[in-house]
Amino acid sequence: MSTREADTATLGPIGRRPLAMTIADQAGPLLAGRGSDLAQHRRLYGDMPAHDGTALARLLDESGLTGRGGGGFPTGTKLRTVLAQRRRPVVIANGSEGEPLSAKDCTLLTVNPHLVIDGVLAVAQATHAAEVVIVVHDAQAGILRRALGGRPDAARITVTSAGDRFISGEASAVASRVEGGDGLPFDRTRPIAQEGPGRRPLFVGNVETFADIALIARFGAGWFRRLGGGEPGTRLVTVTGDVGHRCVAEVPVGEPVGRIIETAGGAPRGSVALVGGFSGGWIGETDWDVAHDDSALSAYGARVGAGIVHVIGPARCPLRFGGSVLAFLAAQSAGQCGPCLFGLPALSAAFDRVVHGVAGPHVQQRVGDLAAAVDHRGMCHHPDGAAAFARATLAAFPDEIIRHRNGRCHRP
Ligand code: SF4
């Protein structure tokens, strides 16, 4: 399948891992944009209608839109929570994209910055926001500022640099950064939609969520629902690994995983796919007809998450890959919570013993115990994701574990 090159060709998702990305040809309404040209944007999408808070919340409820950053929280509910607070909120569009395998947010911001801005302004207007911020990596700041520069209606939007750690994209970490803190996750005894670190309510959403809000405000909830297969809307998916060409694709929610991989040129026989990124799960090619939505993926311990599909072909070892992911996650702990600071390195070390074939027969129990010891024990979900990934990887590859124990796996 042919693709068009995105301007993101040399941009890494966190500014340090270059990914040569293309955009799959059959781009939907999110990726149909053509950069920072406002006149072209208006021709393509038309004018934005104004909605007050109640009307926008109702529209979002009816649309079934959920957060596109990984949490999957209903966007209408979040908006109504913010609207119920006494103080004027801060609206934050999060383009931090901490997952190294994700490039959807930087691609969206490059290809369609005005759609993100439209959604941000819609929420800012509906909530009478006190402050409006878009958080992006330096690589996308230029095109975003160019887009903002041509829009008097967006003069109140400020651009803030994203942190470059895995956990920098976590909603409370972004909130902390915007409110002048250390940019690390913090203990949320109250939801940040009620009160953030600066005592103000925060509407924090992924940039893709804001772009969807702009579409729903224009074309309606029914239109948005019809875009999806099982669940409403489309999703941006970053497809990487052993595929024909790494790409960002826009697919209907519920598209079969195999068809998503086909948009990236397919994969060699005998491949497995990590679906949901570093907190996701594994699906072998014989099951790739499964729908890419959370209810179907949960049977595999996988999730849509931030829209990541990474294929491991037969020439690469998924256990070894899993070991490097866990080592990465252990190194990314913000060091604030004991179970995360000490538990993740222990989990990574136990998993490494599997990879090196020196683990005893009870290693799954040992990894399971270590995973349970960190699960839900941190201030943020970072250790939960690592624990889920460790469990899912061991459960998916029992034959590989035996091969490693017998010294019969020599794949990288
Ligand atoms: S759980 Fe880990 S990453 Fe999250 S706040 Fe605590 S130390 Fe930081």
Side-chain angles (χ1 to χ4, degrees):
M1 175 168 292
S2 68
T3 55
R4 75 185 155 95
E5 295 288 334
D7 292 344
T8 52
T10 57
L11 308 183
I14 51 176
R16 57 191 162 87
R17 288 192 168 203
L19 280 175
M21 301 305 300
T22 56
I23 296 175
D25 235 6
Q26 73 289 26
L30 290 172
L31 293 183
R34 288 293 186 277
S36 59
D37 185 328
L38 182 60
Q40 215 177 17
H41 173 73
R42 291 279 185 250
R43 266 197 301 279
L44 207 53
Y45 293 95
D47 291 329
M48 271 290 282
H51 295 281
D52 65 21
T54 310
L56 186 60
R58 192 183 318 121
L59 201 51
L60 294 177
D61 284 341
E62 288 168 4
S63 74
L65 176 65
T66 53
R68 297 324 201 200
F73 192 77
T75 309
T77 305
K78 185 188 288 184
L79 179 57
R80 276 188 283 99
T81 304
V82 168
L83 288 169
Q85 309 310 310
R86 200 173 42 81
R87 298 189 67 176
R88 291 169 65 198
V90 183
V91 171
I92 303 171
N94 182 6
S96 301
E97 197 160 46
E99 281 245 11
L101 294 178
S102 179
K104 75 174 183 71
D105 292 342
C106 66
T107 299
L108 174 65
L109 284 161
T110 304
V111 170
N112 213 342
H114 286 297
L115 200 61
V116 176
I117 294 168
D118 287 346
V120 169
L121 289 176
V123 176
Q125 208 168 39
T127 58
H128 304 286
E131 199 179 331
V132 191
V133 186
I134 303 180
V135 180
V136 295
H137 290 284
D138 292 345
Q140 285 77 52
I143 192 162
L144 184 60
R145 287 207 170 91
R146 272 200 300 285
L148 289 169
R151 295 184 62 154
D153 61 335
R156 57 193 303 225
I157 295 179
T158 56
V159 178
T160 294
S161 286
D164 63 359
R165 299 174 62 120
F166 182 80
I167 53 160
S168 300
E170 200 268 343
S172 72
V174 171
S176 160
R177 195 170 182 85
V178 168
E179 295 282 41
D182 54 12
L184 297 176
F186 59 85
D187 199 2
R188 291 190 259 175
T189 40
R190 292 189 73 193
I192 56 176
Q194 293 178 1
E195 186 179 271
R199 312 293 302 271
R200 301 181 289 185
L202 305 178
F203 185 102
V204 184
N206 176 258
V207 288
E208 182 184 345
T209 312
F210 280 102
D212 276 331
I213 291 171
L215 292 172
I216 293 163
R218 278 188 172 92
F219 305 122
W223 172 88
F224 183 76
R225 293 192 84 92
R226 286 191 295 278
L227 288 176
E231 294 172 20
T234 64
R235 293 294 303 238
L236 298 181
V237 184
T238 311
V239 193
T240 56
D242 300 321
V243 290
H245 45 259
R246 299 177 291 184
C247 73
V248 173
E250 181 176 0
V251 298
V253 176
E255 185 86 332
V257 167
R259 213 175 299 158
I260 294 173
I261 292 169
E262 282 305 313
T263 65
R269 285 184 73 110
S271 296
V272 292
L274 174 64
V275 179
F278 290 177
S279 56
W282 297 91
I283 304 178
E285 63 180 354
T286 51
D287 290 337
W288 283 357
D289 55 351
V290 64
H292 188 250
D293 62 45
D294 280 332
S295 51
L297 293 174
S298 63
Y300 301 86
R303 54 200 288 271
V304 173
I308 291 165
V309 174
H310 183 78
V311 174
I312 302 273
R316 281 202 293 156
C317 171
L319 273 187
R320 226 176 282 285
F321 175 83
S324 58
V325 168
L326 284 169
F328 170 81
L329 293 176
Q332 292 295 311
S333 164
Q336 303 185 113
C337 315
C340 183
L341 177 62
F342 302 112
L344 292 190
L347 182 63
S348 168
F351 199 94
D352 254 358
R353 293 175 62 77
V354 179
V355 174
H356 292 114
V358 294
H362 304 299
V363 66
Q364 260 154 310
Q365 180 65 42
R366 168 81 179 136
V367 169
D369 290 346
L370 287 167
V374 299
D375 221 0
H376 302 294
R377 300 283 305 280
M379 273 192 288
C380 74
H381 293 304
H382 180 58
D384 313 355
F389 178 80
R391 284 194 202 97
T393 305
L394 286 190
F397 303 110
D399 295 344
E400 291 293 336
I401 293 172
I402 294 169
R403 286 178 67 175
H404 280 243
R405 199 176 294 151
N406 295 338
R408 286 193 287 111
C409 178
H410 305 291
R411 295 177 293 170

